[in-house]
Amino acid sequence: MQDLFNTAPIVVKQPKRFFIDESEYHCYDGRGRHIAHVHEIGLDGGMQALRLFAGNTAGFARKVMVDDAWRRPRLYIEKSWAMFTATTTVALPDGRPIGYIDQDFTFFKAGFRLLDPWKRHLGTISGNFMGFDFQITDANDHEVARVDRRLPDFGELFTAADTYVLWQRYPTLPEPLKTLVIASGITIDLVLMEGKR
């Protein structure tokens, strides 16, 4: 079975949901084999009720754990509460930070900065106007990966389900850039789309 950290491409897919506002994703390899499950943690009944009655929960904080195909925790991703731009922490399951994915405030485009645990610049995620194609570059502006958002099929059209495909150009990127690139397929949706109605 493939491992999340040694798979290309990685398909990040949300299950179909209608009235539930709880973050969940499944990750697959290019042949459709399940390689990871991403699920929200620390979501209590009060927050579930608040999300149910809120018109838009895009700015709410969210915490997710990434379990591999053997149900072992591999990554912890925490999106901070944000009015305009969000900071997302990518960490080991015990909370030790690997790095950060900071949302850039730009008009008409989606953008992020990839930072190491000391907030030093490692790379950039640049999205197009529609938020369907994202280019990931290193600190030297060299493309290292792409994330493509797929159009929903007819059965997903009226649900919150989105699908992203992460295409890595290099399997041996240095850490922590490699892990931040892998986390970007989840983070892009968590920041830009999750909770919007």
Side-chain angles (χ1 to χ4, degrees), residues 89-112:
T89 303
V90 180
L92 296 171
D94 63 8
R96 286 177 292 156
I98 295 169
Y100 303 91
I101 302 177
D102 276 1
Q103 185 180 11
D104 270 340
F105 184 75
T106 54
F107 289 104
F108 306 117
K109 282 191 175 181
F112 300 85

mmCIF file with all atom_site columns, all heavy atoms in Angstrom, residues 89-112:
data_model
loop_
_atom_site.group_PDB
_atom_site.id
_atom_site.type_symbol
_atom_site.label_atom_id
_atom_site.label_alt_id
_atom_site.label_comp_id
_atom_site.label_asym_id
_atom_site.label_entity_id
_atom_site.label_seq_id
_atom_site.pdbx_PDB_ins_code
_atom_site.Cartn_x
_atom_site.Cartn_y
_atom_site.Cartn_z
_atom_site.occupancy
_atom_site.B_iso_or_equiv
_atom_site.pdbx_formal_charge
_atom_site.auth_seq_id
_atom_site.auth_comp_id
_atom_site.auth_asym_id
_atom_site.auth_atom_id
_atom_site.pdbx_PDB_model_num
ATOM 1   N N   . THR A 1 89  ? -1.192  26.048 10.803  1.00 0.00 ? 89  THR A N   1
ATOM 2   C CA  . THR A 1 89  ? -0.033  25.375 11.370  1.00 0.00 ? 89  THR A CA  1
ATOM 3   C C   . THR A 1 89  ? -0.046  23.917 10.928  1.00 0.00 ? 89  THR A C   1
ATOM 4   O O   . THR A 1 89  ? -1.059  23.232 11.051  1.00 0.00 ? 89  THR A O   1
ATOM 5   C CB  . THR A 1 89  ? -0.073  25.431 12.910  1.00 0.00 ? 89  THR A CB  1
ATOM 6   O OG1 . THR A 1 89  ? -0.134  26.799 13.328  1.00 0.00 ? 89  THR A OG1 1
ATOM 7   C CG2 . THR A 1 89  ? 1.159   24.767 13.511  1.00 0.00 ? 89  THR A CG2 1
ATOM 8   N N   . VAL A 1 90  ? 1.074   23.469 10.403  1.00 0.00 ? 90  VAL A N   1
ATOM 9   C CA  . VAL A 1 90  ? 1.256   22.058 10.057  1.00 0.00 ? 90  VAL A CA  1
ATOM 10  C C   . VAL A 1 90  ? 2.238   21.491 11.070  1.00 0.00 ? 90  VAL A C   1
ATOM 11  O O   . VAL A 1 90  ? 3.338   22.012 11.233  1.00 0.00 ? 90  VAL A O   1
ATOM 12  C CB  . VAL A 1 90  ? 1.790   21.899 8.620   1.00 0.00 ? 90  VAL A CB  1
ATOM 13  C CG1 . VAL A 1 90  ? 1.968   20.426 8.280   1.00 0.00 ? 90  VAL A CG1 1
ATOM 14  C CG2 . VAL A 1 90  ? 0.845   22.566 7.618   1.00 0.00 ? 90  VAL A CG2 1
ATOM 15  N N   . ALA A 1 91  ? 1.811   20.441 11.783  1.00 0.00 ? 91  ALA A N   1
ATOM 16  C CA  . ALA A 1 91  ? 2.616   19.938 12.894  1.00 0.00 ? 91  ALA A CA  1
ATOM 17  C C   . ALA A 1 91  ? 2.617   18.414 12.910  1.00 0.00 ? 91  ALA A C   1
ATOM 18  O O   . ALA A 1 91  ? 1.822   17.755 12.235  1.00 0.00 ? 91  ALA A O   1
ATOM 19  C CB  . ALA A 1 91  ? 2.068   20.472 14.222  1.00 0.00 ? 91  ALA A CB  1
ATOM 20  N N   . LEU A 1 92  ? 3.520   17.881 13.703  1.00 0.00 ? 92  LEU A N   1
ATOM 21  C CA  . LEU A 1 92  ? 3.504   16.455 14.000  1.00 0.00 ? 92  LEU A CA  1
ATOM 22  C C   . LEU A 1 92  ? 2.290   16.160 14.892  1.00 0.00 ? 92  LEU A C   1
ATOM 23  O O   . LEU A 1 92  ? 1.741   17.074 15.501  1.00 0.00 ? 92  LEU A O   1
ATOM 24  C CB  . LEU A 1 92  ? 4.800   16.050 14.698  1.00 0.00 ? 92  LEU A CB  1
ATOM 25  C CG  . LEU A 1 92  ? 6.079   16.215 13.871  1.00 0.00 ? 92  LEU A CG  1
ATOM 26  C CD1 . LEU A 1 92  ? 7.301   16.005 14.742  1.00 0.00 ? 92  LEU A CD1 1
ATOM 27  C CD2 . LEU A 1 92  ? 6.081   15.255 12.693  1.00 0.00 ? 92  LEU A CD2 1
ATOM 28  N N   . PRO A 1 93  ? 1.864   14.905 14.984  1.00 0.00 ? 93  PRO A N   1
ATOM 29  C CA  . PRO A 1 93  ? 0.685   14.602 15.811  1.00 0.00 ? 93  PRO A CA  1
ATOM 30  C C   . PRO A 1 93  ? 0.800   15.061 17.260  1.00 0.00 ? 93  PRO A C   1
ATOM 31  O O   . PRO A 1 93  ? -0.213  15.342 17.901  1.00 0.00 ? 93  PRO A O   1
ATOM 32  C CB  . PRO A 1 93  ? 0.588   13.074 15.727  1.00 0.00 ? 93  PRO A CB  1
ATOM 33  C CG  . PRO A 1 93  ? 1.203   12.740 14.409  1.00 0.00 ? 93  PRO A CG  1
ATOM 34  C CD  . PRO A 1 93  ? 2.336   13.717 14.239  1.00 0.00 ? 93  PRO A CD  1
ATOM 35  N N   . ASP A 1 94  ? 2.028   15.179 17.779  1.00 0.00 ? 94  ASP A N   1
ATOM 36  C CA  . ASP A 1 94  ? 2.194   15.630 19.166  1.00 0.00 ? 94  ASP A CA  1
ATOM 37  C C   . ASP A 1 94  ? 2.197   17.151 19.302  1.00 0.00 ? 94  ASP A C   1
ATOM 38  O O   . ASP A 1 94  ? 2.359   17.677 20.396  1.00 0.00 ? 94  ASP A O   1
ATOM 39  C CB  . ASP A 1 94  ? 3.468   15.037 19.773  1.00 0.00 ? 94  ASP A CB  1
ATOM 40  C CG  . ASP A 1 94  ? 4.737   15.494 19.055  1.00 0.00 ? 94  ASP A CG  1
ATOM 41  O OD1 . ASP A 1 94  ? 4.665   16.384 18.187  1.00 0.00 ? 94  ASP A OD1 1
ATOM 42  O OD2 . ASP A 1 94  ? 5.818   14.928 19.356  1.00 0.00 ? 94  ASP A OD2 1
ATOM 43  N N   . GLY A 1 95  ? 2.021   17.860 18.183  1.00 0.00 ? 95  GLY A N   1
ATOM 44  C CA  . GLY A 1 95  ? 1.924   19.310 18.233  1.00 0.00 ? 95  GLY A CA  1
ATOM 45  C C   . GLY A 1 95  ? 3.182   20.064 17.886  1.00 0.00 ? 95  GLY A C   1
ATOM 46  O O   . GLY A 1 95  ? 3.154   21.299 17.766  1.00 0.00 ? 95  GLY A O   1
ATOM 47  N N   . ARG A 1 96  ? 4.308   19.381 17.719  1.00 0.00 ? 96  ARG A N   1
ATOM 48  C CA  . ARG A 1 96  ? 5.546   20.077 17.346  1.00 0.00 ? 96  ARG A CA  1
ATOM 49  C C   . ARG A 1 96  ? 5.421   20.611 15.924  1.00 0.00 ? 96  ARG A C   1
ATOM 50  O O   . ARG A 1 96  ? 5.162   19.851 15.000  1.00 0.00 ? 96  ARG A O   1
ATOM 51  C CB  . ARG A 1 96  ? 6.755   19.154 17.450  1.00 0.00 ? 96  ARG A CB  1
ATOM 52  C CG  . ARG A 1 96  ? 7.182   18.861 18.877  1.00 0.00 ? 96  ARG A CG  1
ATOM 53  C CD  . ARG A 1 96  ? 8.339   17.897 18.905  1.00 0.00 ? 96  ARG A CD  1
ATOM 54  N NE  . ARG A 1 96  ? 7.907   16.581 18.442  1.00 0.00 ? 96  ARG A NE  1
ATOM 55  C CZ  . ARG A 1 96  ? 8.726   15.658 17.914  1.00 0.00 ? 96  ARG A CZ  1
ATOM 56  N NH1 . ARG A 1 96  ? 10.010  15.923 17.761  1.00 0.00 ? 96  ARG A NH1 1
ATOM 57  N NH2 . ARG A 1 96  ? 8.245   14.484 17.537  1.00 0.00 ? 96  ARG A NH2 1
ATOM 58  N N   . PRO A 1 97  ? 5.605   21.946 15.728  1.00 0.00 ? 97  PRO A N   1
ATOM 59  C CA  . PRO A 1 97  ? 5.374   22.528 14.404  1.00 0.00 ? 97  PRO A CA  1
ATOM 60  C C   . PRO A 1 97  ? 6.397   22.088 13.365  1.00 0.00 ? 97  PRO A C   1
ATOM 61  O O   . PRO A 1 97  ? 7.592   22.013 13.641  1.00 0.00 ? 97  PRO A O   1
ATOM 62  C CB  . PRO A 1 97  ? 5.446   24.037 14.643  1.00 0.00 ? 97  PRO A CB  1
ATOM 63  C CG  . PRO A 1 97  ? 6.228   24.188 15.904  1.00 0.00 ? 97  PRO A CG  1
ATOM 64  C CD  . PRO A 1 97  ? 5.969   22.967 16.725  1.00 0.00 ? 97  PRO A CD  1
ATOM 65  N N   . ILE A 1 98  ? 5.898   21.772 12.179  1.00 0.00 ? 98  ILE A N   1
ATOM 66  C CA  . ILE A 1 98  ? 6.736   21.490 11.022  1.00 0.00 ? 98  ILE A CA  1
ATOM 67  C C   . ILE A 1 98  ? 6.904   22.762 10.216  1.00 0.00 ? 98  ILE A C   1
ATOM 68  O O   . ILE A 1 98  ? 7.963   23.031 9.643   1.00 0.00 ? 98  ILE A O   1
ATOM 69  C CB  . ILE A 1 98  ? 6.089   20.386 10.158  1.00 0.00 ? 98  ILE A CB  1
ATOM 70  C CG1 . ILE A 1 98  ? 6.034   19.074 10.934  1.00 0.00 ? 98  ILE A CG1 1
ATOM 71  C CG2 . ILE A 1 98  ? 6.824   20.212 8.831   1.00 0.00 ? 98  ILE A CG2 1
ATOM 72  C CD1 . ILE A 1 98  ? 5.178   18.007 10.283  1.00 0.00 ? 98  ILE A CD1 1
ATOM 73  N N   . GLY A 1 99  ? 5.852   23.574 10.171  1.00 0.00 ? 99  GLY A N   1
ATOM 74  C CA  . GLY A 1 99  ? 5.888   24.831 9.446   1.00 0.00 ? 99  GLY A CA  1
ATOM 75  C C   . GLY A 1 99  ? 4.505   25.446 9.385   1.00 0.00 ? 99  GLY A C   1
ATOM 76  O O   . GLY A 1 99  ? 3.571   24.999 10.061  1.00 0.00 ? 99  GLY A O   1
ATOM 77  N N   . TYR A 1 100 ? 4.389   26.491 8.567   1.00 0.00 ? 100 TYR A N   1
ATOM 78  C CA  . TYR A 1 100 ? 3.142   27.241 8.487   1.00 0.00 ? 100 TYR A CA  1
ATOM 79  C C   . TYR A 1 100 ? 2.787   27.510 7.026   1.00 0.00 ? 100 TYR A C   1
ATOM 80  O O   . TYR A 1 100 ? 3.667   27.647 6.174   1.00 0.00 ? 100 TYR A O   1
ATOM 81  C CB  . TYR A 1 100 ? 3.264   28.581 9.231   1.00 0.00 ? 100 TYR A CB  1
ATOM 82  C CG  . TYR A 1 100 ? 3.663   28.421 10.667  1.00 0.00 ? 100 TYR A CG  1
ATOM 83  C CD1 . TYR A 1 100 ? 5.009   28.440 11.038  1.00 0.00 ? 100 TYR A CD1 1
ATOM 84  C CD2 . TYR A 1 100 ? 2.709   28.228 11.657  1.00 0.00 ? 100 TYR A CD2 1
ATOM 85  C CE1 . TYR A 1 100 ? 5.390   28.286 12.359  1.00 0.00 ? 100 TYR A CE1 1
ATOM 86  C CE2 . TYR A 1 100 ? 3.083   28.066 12.975  1.00 0.00 ? 100 TYR A CE2 1
ATOM 87  C CZ  . TYR A 1 100 ? 4.422   28.097 13.325  1.00 0.00 ? 100 TYR A CZ  1
ATOM 88  O OH  . TYR A 1 100 ? 4.803   27.923 14.636  1.00 0.00 ? 100 TYR A OH  1
ATOM 89  N N   . ILE A 1 101 ? 1.489   27.588 6.765   1.00 0.00 ? 101 ILE A N   1
ATOM 90  C CA  . ILE A 1 101 ? 0.992   27.998 5.460   1.00 0.00 ? 101 ILE A CA  1
ATOM 91  C C   . ILE A 1 101 ? 0.136   29.224 5.716   1.00 0.00 ? 101 ILE A C   1
ATOM 92  O O   . ILE A 1 101 ? -0.981  29.124 6.208   1.00 0.00 ? 101 ILE A O   1
ATOM 93  C CB  . ILE A 1 101 ? 0.194   26.869 4.772   1.00 0.00 ? 101 ILE A CB  1
ATOM 94  C CG1 . ILE A 1 101 ? 1.073   25.620 4.610   1.00 0.00 ? 101 ILE A CG1 1
ATOM 95  C CG2 . ILE A 1 101 ? -0.328  27.337 3.414   1.00 0.00 ? 101 ILE A CG2 1
ATOM 96  C CD1 . ILE A 1 101 ? 0.359   24.422 4.004   1.00 0.00 ? 101 ILE A CD1 1
ATOM 97  N N   . ASP A 1 102 ? 0.699   30.409 5.425   1.00 0.00 ? 102 ASP A N   1
ATOM 98  C CA  . ASP A 1 102 ? 0.036   31.680 5.701   1.00 0.00 ? 102 ASP A CA  1
ATOM 99  C C   . ASP A 1 102 ? -0.669  32.182 4.454   1.00 0.00 ? 102 ASP A C   1
ATOM 100 O O   . ASP A 1 102 ? -0.061  32.271 3.384   1.00 0.00 ? 102 ASP A O   1
ATOM 101 C CB  . ASP A 1 102 ? 1.052   32.735 6.151   1.00 0.00 ? 102 ASP A CB  1
ATOM 102 C CG  . ASP A 1 102 ? 1.369   32.653 7.626   1.00 0.00 ? 102 ASP A CG  1
ATOM 103 O OD1 . ASP A 1 102 ? 0.815   31.771 8.300   1.00 0.00 ? 102 ASP A OD1 1
ATOM 104 O OD2 . ASP A 1 102 ? 2.181   33.470 8.101   1.00 0.00 ? 102 ASP A OD2 1
ATOM 105 N N   . GLN A 1 103 ? -1.926  32.534 4.604   1.00 0.00 ? 103 GLN A N   1
ATOM 106 C CA  . GLN A 1 103 ? -2.686  33.071 3.484   1.00 0.00 ? 103 GLN A CA  1
ATOM 107 C C   . GLN A 1 103 ? -2.237  34.496 3.191   1.00 0.00 ? 103 GLN A C   1
ATOM 108 O O   . GLN A 1 103 ? -2.104  35.322 4.097   1.00 0.00 ? 103 GLN A O   1
ATOM 109 C CB  . GLN A 1 103 ? -4.178  33.031 3.800   1.00 0.00 ? 103 GLN A CB  1
ATOM 110 C CG  . GLN A 1 103 ? -5.066  33.449 2.649   1.00 0.00 ? 103 GLN A CG  1
ATOM 111 C CD  . GLN A 1 103 ? -6.543  33.395 3.026   1.00 0.00 ? 103 GLN A CD  1
ATOM 112 O OE1 . GLN A 1 103 ? -6.882  33.239 4.206   1.00 0.00 ? 103 GLN A OE1 1
ATOM 113 N NE2 . GLN A 1 103 ? -7.406  33.527 2.047   1.00 0.00 ? 103 GLN A NE2 1
ATOM 114 N N   . ASP A 1 104 ? -1.999  34.807 1.930   1.00 0.00 ? 104 ASP A N   1
ATOM 115 C CA  . ASP A 1 104 ? -1.664  36.160 1.493   1.00 0.00 ? 104 ASP A CA  1
ATOM 116 C C   . ASP A 1 104 ? -2.943  36.898 1.149   1.00 0.00 ? 104 ASP A C   1
ATOM 117 O O   . ASP A 1 104 ? -3.866  36.323 0.569   1.00 0.00 ? 104 ASP A O   1
ATOM 118 C CB  . ASP A 1 104 ? -0.768  36.133 0.245   1.00 0.00 ? 104 ASP A CB  1
ATOM 119 C CG  . ASP A 1 104 ? 0.702   36.103 0.589   1.00 0.00 ? 104 ASP A CG  1
ATOM 120 O OD1 . ASP A 1 104 ? 1.049   36.474 1.723   1.00 0.00 ? 104 ASP A OD1 1
ATOM 121 O OD2 . ASP A 1 104 ? 1.498   35.706 -0.266  1.00 0.00 ? 104 ASP A OD2 1
ATOM 122 N N   . PHE A 1 105 ? -2.976  38.175 1.476   1.00 0.00 ? 105 PHE A N   1
ATOM 123 C CA  . PHE A 1 105 ? -4.124  38.991 1.105   1.00 0.00 ? 105 PHE A CA  1
ATOM 124 C C   . PHE A 1 105 ? -3.851  39.616 -0.255  1.00 0.00 ? 105 PHE A C   1
ATOM 125 O O   . PHE A 1 105 ? -3.058  40.538 -0.382  1.00 0.00 ? 105 PHE A O   1
ATOM 126 C CB  . PHE A 1 105 ? -4.389  40.079 2.142   1.00 0.00 ? 105 PHE A CB  1
ATOM 127 C CG  . PHE A 1 105 ? -5.615  40.889 1.843   1.00 0.00 ? 105 PHE A CG  1
ATOM 128 C CD1 . PHE A 1 105 ? -6.873  40.356 2.064   1.00 0.00 ? 105 PHE A CD1 1
ATOM 129 C CD2 . PHE A 1 105 ? -5.510  42.164 1.327   1.00 0.00 ? 105 PHE A CD2 1
ATOM 130 C CE1 . PHE A 1 105 ? -8.014  41.089 1.782   1.00 0.00 ? 105 PHE A CE1 1
ATOM 131 C CE2 . PHE A 1 105 ? -6.643  42.905 1.047   1.00 0.00 ? 105 PHE A CE2 1
ATOM 132 C CZ  . PHE A 1 105 ? -7.896  42.371 1.268   1.00 0.00 ? 105 PHE A CZ  1
ATOM 133 N N   . THR A 1 106 ? -4.467  39.079 -1.283  1.00 0.00 ? 106 THR A N   1
ATOM 134 C CA  . THR A 1 106 ? -4.319  39.620 -2.632  1.00 0.00 ? 106 THR A CA  1
ATOM 135 C C   . THR A 1 106 ? -5.704  39.703 -3.275  1.00 0.00 ? 106 THR A C   1
ATOM 136 O O   . THR A 1 106 ? -6.537  38.822 -3.080  1.00 0.00 ? 106 THR A O   1
ATOM 137 C CB  . THR A 1 106 ? -3.419  38.727 -3.511  1.00 0.00 ? 106 THR A CB  1
ATOM 138 O OG1 . THR A 1 106 ? -3.935  37.388 -3.484  1.00 0.00 ? 106 THR A OG1 1
ATOM 139 C CG2 . THR A 1 106 ? -1.986  38.724 -3.023  1.00 0.00 ? 106 THR A CG2 1
ATOM 140 N N   . PHE A 1 107 ? -5.933  40.770 -4.014  1.00 0.00 ? 107 PHE A N   1
ATOM 141 C CA  . PHE A 1 107 ? -7.211  40.935 -4.691  1.00 0.00 ? 107 PHE A CA  1
ATOM 142 C C   . PHE A 1 107 ? -7.308  40.007 -5.891  1.00 0.00 ? 107 PHE A C   1
ATOM 143 O O   . PHE A 1 107 ? -6.383  39.919 -6.691  1.00 0.00 ? 107 PHE A O   1
ATOM 144 C CB  . PHE A 1 107 ? -7.393  42.390 -5.135  1.00 0.00 ? 107 PHE A CB  1
ATOM 145 C CG  . PHE A 1 107 ? -7.631  43.333 -3.995  1.00 0.00 ? 107 PHE A CG  1
ATOM 146 C CD1 . PHE A 1 107 ? -6.617  44.169 -3.551  1.00 0.00 ? 107 PHE A CD1 1
ATOM 147 C CD2 . PHE A 1 107 ? -8.859  43.366 -3.340  1.00 0.00 ? 107 PHE A CD2 1
ATOM 148 C CE1 . PHE A 1 107 ? -6.829  45.031 -2.497  1.00 0.00 ? 107 PHE A CE1 1
ATOM 149 C CE2 . PHE A 1 107 ? -9.077  44.229 -2.276  1.00 0.00 ? 107 PHE A CE2 1
ATOM 150 C CZ  . PHE A 1 107 ? -8.059  45.065 -1.858  1.00 0.00 ? 107 PHE A CZ  1
ATOM 151 N N   . PHE A 1 108 ? -8.425  39.310 -5.991  1.00 0.00 ? 108 PHE A N   1
ATOM 152 C CA  . PHE A 1 108 ? -8.773  38.492 -7.152  1.00 0.00 ? 108 PHE A CA  1
ATOM 153 C C   . PHE A 1 108 ? -7.907  37.245 -7.331  1.00 0.00 ? 108 PHE A C   1
ATOM 154 O O   . PHE A 1 108 ? -8.030  36.570 -8.338  1.00 0.00 ? 108 PHE A O   1
ATOM 155 C CB  . PHE A 1 108 ? -8.746  39.324 -8.439  1.00 0.00 ? 108 PHE A CB  1
ATOM 156 C CG  . PHE A 1 108 ? -9.600  40.556 -8.353  1.00 0.00 ? 108 PHE A CG  1
ATOM 157 C CD1 . PHE A 1 108 ? -9.026  41.806 -8.440  1.00 0.00 ? 108 PHE A CD1 1
ATOM 158 C CD2 . PHE A 1 108 ? -10.968 40.456 -8.160  1.00 0.00 ? 108 PHE A CD2 1
ATOM 159 C CE1 . PHE A 1 108 ? -9.816  42.944 -8.356  1.00 0.00 ? 108 PHE A CE1 1
ATOM 160 C CE2 . PHE A 1 108 ? -11.758 41.592 -8.073  1.00 0.00 ? 108 PHE A CE2 1
ATOM 161 C CZ  . PHE A 1 108 ? -11.175 42.842 -8.174  1.00 0.00 ? 108 PHE A CZ  1
ATOM 162 N N   . LYS A 1 109 ? -7.036  36.938 -6.368  1.00 0.00 ? 109 LYS A N   1
ATOM 163 C CA  . LYS A 1 109 ? -6.227  35.730 -6.485  1.00 0.00 ? 109 LYS A CA  1
ATOM 164 C C   . LYS A 1 109 ? -6.063  35.104 -5.114  1.00 0.00 ? 109 LYS A C   1
ATOM 165 O O   . LYS A 1 109 ? -6.049  35.796 -4.100  1.00 0.00 ? 109 LYS A O   1
ATOM 166 C CB  . LYS A 1 109 ? -4.842  36.030 -7.074  1.00 0.00 ? 109 LYS A CB  1
ATOM 167 C CG  . LYS A 1 109 ? -4.855  36.233 -8.577  1.00 0.00 ? 109 LYS A CG  1
ATOM 168 C CD  . LYS A 1 109 ? -3.438  36.251 -9.116  1.00 0.00 ? 109 LYS A CD  1
ATOM 169 C CE  . LYS A 1 109 ? -3.441  36.340 -10.627 1.00 0.00 ? 109 LYS A CE  1
ATOM 170 N NZ  . LYS A 1 109 ? -2.086  36.327 -11.183 1.00 0.00 ? 109 LYS A NZ  1
ATOM 171 N N   . ALA A 1 110 ? -5.906  33.780 -5.104  1.00 0.00 ? 110 ALA A N   1
ATOM 172 C CA  . ALA A 1 110 ? -5.652  33.069 -3.858  1.00 0.00 ? 110 ALA A CA  1
ATOM 173 C C   . ALA A 1 110 ? -4.160  32.809 -3.743  1.00 0.00 ? 110 ALA A C   1
ATOM 174 O O   . ALA A 1 110 ? -3.547  32.296 -4.684  1.00 0.00 ? 110 ALA A O   1
ATOM 175 C CB  . ALA A 1 110 ? -6.417  31.747 -3.845  1.00 0.00 ? 110 ALA A CB  1
ATOM 176 N N   . GLY A 1 111 ? -3.568  33.172 -2.624  1.00 0.00 ? 111 GLY A N   1
ATOM 177 C CA  . GLY A 1 111 ? -2.136  32.977 -2.450  1.00 0.00 ? 111 GLY A CA  1
ATOM 178 C C   . GLY A 1 111 ? -1.772  32.627 -1.022  1.00 0.00 ? 111 GLY A C   1
ATOM 179 O O   . GLY A 1 111 ? -2.488  32.991 -0.074  1.00 0.00 ? 111 GLY A O   1
ATOM 180 N N   . PHE A 1 112 ? -0.677  31.890 -0.869  1.00 0.00 ? 112 PHE A N   1
ATOM 181 C CA  . PHE A 1 112 ? -0.187  31.482 0.444   1.00 0.00 ? 112 PHE A CA  1
ATOM 182 C C   . PHE A 1 112 ? 1.336   31.550 0.454   1.00 0.00 ? 112 PHE A C   1
ATOM 183 O O   . PHE A 1 112 ? 1.985   31.438 -0.593  1.00 0.00 ? 112 PHE A O   1
ATOM 184 C CB  . PHE A 1 112 ? -0.591  30.030 0.754   1.00 0.00 ? 112 PHE A CB  1
ATOM 185 C CG  . PHE A 1 112 ? -2.071  29.788 0.763   1.00 0.00 ? 112 PHE A CG  1
ATOM 186 C CD1 . PHE A 1 112 ? -2.751  29.512 -0.417  1.00 0.00 ? 112 PHE A CD1 1
ATOM 187 C CD2 . PHE A 1 112 ? -2.790  29.796 1.950   1.00 0.00 ? 112 PHE A CD2 1
ATOM 188 C CE1 . PHE A 1 112 ? -4.111  29.255 -0.420  1.00 0.00 ? 112 PHE A CE1 1
ATOM 189 C CE2 . PHE A 1 112 ? -4.158  29.544 1.954   1.00 0.00 ? 112 PHE A CE2 1
ATOM 190 C CZ  . PHE A 1 112 ? -4.819  29.274 0.769   1.00 0.00 ? 112 PHE A CZ  1
#
